[in-house]
Amino acid sequence: MKLATLKDSTHDGKLVVVSKDLTRCSEVGHIARTLQAALDDWTHVGPRLARVAIGVETGSQPTMRFHEHDAASPLPARFSGPVAPAVLPAPAIPFLWRRAPPSFP
């Protein structure tokens, strides 16, 4: 199953299920408006999106042409954050991976 976010008039865009060959997609706003909404309730939303994906592949689901240039970032910037601070001494980075505070002499 391939999911994409298409640009629209909202900040978050709209969620679509995309065919395996990336030529068609089906809007799934009735299931989950955004990818974040789908992830937040994946237990219930995931199986429904999977059924739509099967329908897209078999032709039983209404589709429209998928244009990659209309795709947006899957998750808006406010949902993702930096992994590490922008300026950090190189010796401190391994400590971030271990979640231990670095100690410098």
Side-chain angles (χ1 to χ4, degrees), residues 14-91:
K14 63 182 173 184
L15 183 64
V16 294
V17 174
V18 183
S19 64
K20 289 180 182 177
D21 63 1
L22 302 176
T23 60
R24 299 174 323 274
C25 66
S26 182
E27 293 183 30
V28 289
H30 61 286
I31 297 173
R33 174 83 178 105
T34 64
L35 179 57
Q36 185 63 50
L39 294 173
D40 289 344
D41 192 22
W42 189 255
T43 305
H44 298 101
V45 172
R48 294 176 67 193
L49 292 175
R51 286 192 293 274
V52 171
I54 292 168
V56 167
E57 295 303 326
T58 62
S60 63
Q61 181 73 24
T63 61
M64 61 185 180
R65 179 84 175 130
F66 178 69
H67 297 283
E68 293 174 357
H69 63 273
D70 292 335
S73 174
L75 293 172
R78 69 173 180 240
F79 291 117
S80 61
V83 174
V87 179
L88 191 66

